[in-house]
Amino acid sequence: GAVVSQHPSRVICKSGTSVKIECRSLDFQATTMFWYRQFPKQSLMLMATSNEGSKATYEQGVEKDKFLINHASLTLSTLTVTSAHPEDSSFYICSAFAQVPFHYTFGSGTRLTVV
Amino acid sequence: DAKTTQPNSMESNEEEPVHLPCNHSTISGTDYIHWYRQLPSQGPEYVIHGLTSNVNNRMASLAIAEDRKSSTLILHRATLRDAAVYYCILRRALNTNAGKSTFGDGTTLTVKP
């Protein structure tokens, strides 16, 4: 149980366009989801906390107007990278904490390449 | 958030036990210790968690120091598929699924055949 599905797994977009990444909790309700970013050979960096029905909470240094988060239901959070640039190329991972079985579950990640 | 520190890398031989340490000296009384591992180009995978007592599951064992300022993840017989980056994180006990955790640099485990 406690599966998080993330799509797409890989996306290539042109500079200046926007990309949406979806994260769904399949068998549990997640009022909170977390979005991470990971550069090669580095650890996961928490970008923001997505809250169902309210505004996301962004970590220091993360541009909220560039990384738009929507959490419209108890099972779906989306991250939209707006006006993407090559420096936004990274591995994006979503996560949710399931009370049962009491641990974080992570999506499989999205490899974003901006050309 | 309380911070965790881990060695950058460790090596093990296949079918031998591996002990991965984690220091969390600023842990609070309500922080659970969680371990996850990440294979290349994948999201992290849950391994084990605990609060005070040692824990065992089918993947690993978790040994928690009596003062809770450190813990050790034990893989009893390492296989090549256990080669990954292992992260030790803390998560405050809450009755909701809120509550963020911060990842440190983790330990890259190499398993030699």
Side-chain angles (χ1 to χ4, degrees):
Chain A
V3 175
V4 168
S5 176
Q6 183 174 347
H7 294 280
S9 58
R10 188 180 298 268
V11 59
I12 301 173
C13 72
K14 290 185 177 181
S15 188
T17 61
S18 296
V19 173
K20 180 185 285 188
I21 302 170
E22 289 191 350
C23 182
R24 293 181 185 273
S25 57
L26 296 186
D27 47 6
F28 68 103
Q29 294 182 334
T31 55
T32 303
M33 290 188 179
F34 307 95
W35 287 95
Y36 296 85
R37 182 175 181 175
Q38 186 175 35
F39 291 108
K41 306 290 186 185
Q42 294 187 22
S43 183
L44 285 76
M45 184 193 78
L46 181 65
M47 298 174 64
T49 300
S50 169
N51 303 298
E52 187 267 334
S54 65
K55 290 183 179 180
T57 304
Y58 291 83
E59 296 298 304
Q60 191 173 7
V62 177
E63 300 175 60
K64 62 180 181 181
D65 293 332
K66 180 167 189 60
F67 299 100
L68 299 180
I69 290 174
N70 184 276
H71 195 151
S73 78
L74 289 172
T75 58
L76 174 64
S77 175
T78 61
L79 169 68
T80 301
V81 182
T82 63
S83 187
H85 289 99
E87 56 266 31
D88 298 324
S89 298
S90 189
F91 192 54
Y92 293 86
I93 306 168
C94 67
S95 169
F97 188 88
Q99 288 294 321
V100 178
F102 203 76
H103 63 71
Y104 292 104
T105 301
F106 294 83
S108 55
T110 298
R111 174 77 57 194
L112 171 64
T113 304
V114 184
V115 297
Chain B
D1 298 333
K3 187 177 176 180
T4 61
T5 55
Q6 301 173 251
N8 287 335
S9 62
M10 291 187 67
E11 281 190 357
S12 171
N13 293 317
E14 197 175 10
E15 297 191 2
E16 290 187 355
V18 182
H19 290 229
L20 299 169
C22 180
N23 288 319
H24 27 79
S25 58
T26 59
I27 190 171
S28 78
T30 56
D31 284 341
Y32 280 77
I33 302 158
H34 286 244
W35 284 81
Y36 298 83
R37 69 182 185 182
Q38 185 181 25
L39 298 171
S41 297
Q42 294 186 26
E45 170 192 33
Y46 168 77
V47 178
I48 200 167
H49 76 277
L51 183 62
T52 56
S53 303
N54 294 344
V55 184
N56 301 296
N57 66 20
R58 62 179 178 82
M59 290 182 71
S61 295
L62 176 60
I64 301 172
E66 197 168 334
D67 63 5
R68 300 207 328 122
K69 293 185 176 183
S70 66
S71 62
T72 302
L73 178 70
I74 302 166
L75 305 179
H76 296 285
R77 289 185 66 193
T79 70
L80 297 178
R81 288 179 296 178
D82 291 323
V85 179
Y86 286 78
Y87 294 101
C88 162
I89 65 172
L90 304 178
R91 202 262 181 184
R92 194 139 296 173
L94 298 169
N95 60 2
T96 70
N97 55 18
K100 62 183 183 181
S101 294
T102 302
F103 281 74
D105 293 332
T107 297
T108 299
L109 174 65
T110 302
V111 181
K112 296 182 288 185

